[in-house]
Amino acid sequence: MEGTREECLCAGGNVLVFACSGGSNVGQISNQAAIALEEAGLGRFFCLAGIGGNLPDMVEPAREAEKRILIDGCPVSCGKATFARAGLKADCYVVVTQLGIKKRHEFAFADEEVEKVVAEVKEILSKTE
Ligand code: SF4
């Protein structure tokens, strides 16, 4: 049951969500999806910039997390590259443009686009439990 699964993940308490939050519609969709995932109790939105900056107080919790959800806006894969430099691996990885959402250099997006990303994350998580 959907609700039960979300409670279960929440109970884990140490699922971190990262988003590229880039300067485009898909970057902003990744950011909003991370917020939506936290609001749904599926994880805690964490700062990808802190990982990029190699800050120990950010990298260590990320390393010790039970699961890491990473959302990139497009195939440039800034989040994935940032993780790689820090020696981190995403347990759930989503690229927004791979869900049929075209990248545009603007910031407007639709709620349905964010919901599509959230649904994809839930689908992947359901297979990795
Ligand atoms: S992954 Fe794409 S959208 Fe995200 S920050 Fe990099 S270039 Fe921008």
Side-chain angles (χ1 to χ4, degrees):
M1 194 171 84
E2 186 78 7
T4 307
R5 179 155 54 82
E6 291 186 5
E7 281 166 25
C8 176
L9 279 169
C10 189
N14 195 17
V15 176
L16 300 184
V17 185
F18 300 84
C20 76
S21 306
S24 62
N25 64 321
V26 291
Q28 294 308 299
I29 289 168
S30 77
N31 191 69
Q32 196 58 44
I35 293 170
L37 287 163
E38 168 149 346
E39 288 178 346
L42 286 166
R44 186 157 59 96
F45 190 1
F46 213 67
C47 303
L48 185 64
I51 306 301
N54 197 29
L55 305 181
D57 286 349
M58 306 296 281
V59 175
E60 277 316 304
R63 202 180 304 287
E64 290 165 7
E66 179 189 335
K67 282 184 185 175
R68 289 157 294 271
I69 298 167
L70 175 60
I71 307 167
D72 262 330
C74 76
V76 176
S77 305
C78 300
K80 195 174 188 180
T82 302
F83 262 38
R85 277 197 83 188
L88 297 171
K89 192 171 180 308
D91 301 279
C92 171
Y93 181 59
V94 173
V95 180
V96 176
T97 53
Q98 287 179 355
L99 302 177
I101 300 167
K102 204 165 163 33
K103 181 178 179 180
R104 299 183 307 273
H105 289 288
E106 60 182 49
F107 304 110
F109 57 83
D111 290 346
E112 300 78 56
E113 294 173 320
V114 175
E115 285 160 15
K116 208 179 229 191
V117 176
V118 170
E120 180 70 7
V121 168
K122 287 182 179 176
E123 173 72 15
I124 294 170
L125 286 178
S126 73
K127 293 174 183 163
T128 59
E129 282 172 12

